Amino acid sequence: MADLLGVPQTVTDRSYATTRSRPGVLEIDLQVTAAAVSPVREIVVGHLRFRGLASCEWQVGLAVSELLTNAYKHARRAHEPCVQASLFLSRIPGGLFLCVSDPDKRHPNFVSAGQDDEGGRGVALLRSNGGGGSAAPPRAAAKTCG
């Protein structure tokens, strides 16, 4: 079976992503902008379909959107149009492992959303859909995993 190539791809006007794929693993290094989240999610969903994992695409697509949006909102400097991030998706016994890392040295602040709050629901939503999630210390390679 043919494999996807590890080549740079334009995902938006100002954002690039380099994807690497092999059986059971997808890695993407990218410049995250608000406009890049949807195309990168589609790359991940395409990988899942290619690998026969289409049944997971909704949950993984949601997680990719949430984690990349969090990286863009919380790790990007105010004057910068994007933030560099890495996405790692791998098959593990009994499921999938998804990790998004960004350069922010701050540990994620997991908050509980009130009934009328607009933010603070993403990680709880991921945990309820995927069965888990965690954050690694800033000195570790991965920043936010779900």
Side-chain angles (χ1 to χ4, degrees):
M1 182 181 292
D3 210 345
L4 303 176
L5 300 175
V7 295
Q9 301 175 26
T10 302
V11 293
T12 67
D13 290 343
R14 299 180 307 193
S15 183
Y16 290 89
T18 300
T19 62
R20 291 171 303 283
S21 175
R22 58 188 186 275
V25 176
L26 173 66
E27 298 174 81
I28 304 176
D29 295 318
L30 69 145
Q31 298 167 331
V32 181
T33 63
V37 173
S38 180
V40 170
R41 181 183 59 242
E42 292 306 314
I43 291 170
V44 172
V45 166
H47 174 81
L48 292 170
R49 289 176 184 159
F50 181 74
R51 298 292 179 203
L53 298 168
S55 64
C56 303
E57 69 183 61
W58 186 86
Q59 287 178 305
V60 174
L62 176 66
V64 166
S65 293
E66 178 63 25
L67 295 175
L68 290 178
T69 299
N70 282 352
Y72 178 74
K73 286 174 64 176
H74 302 293
R76 180 181 57 94
R77 294 181 183 159
H79 63 281
E80 303 267 337
C82 64
V83 64
Q84 192 68 32
S86 297
L87 181 147
F88 180 82
L89 177 66
S90 148
R91 283 183 108 160
I92 58 172
L96 295 168
F97 172 80
L98 172 65
C99 180
V100 171
S101 61
D102 62 53
D104 194 345
K105 296 193 182 326
R106 295 173 295 166
H107 197 64
N109 183 19
F110 299 118
V111 297
S112 295
Q115 186 172 356
D116 296 325
D117 291 342
E118 292 186 19
R121 290 183 170 80
V123 173
L125 180 64
L126 294 180
R127 287 181 173 158
S128 70
N129 281 322
S134 65
R139 65 181 169 274
K143 180 69 164 89
T144 306
C145 302

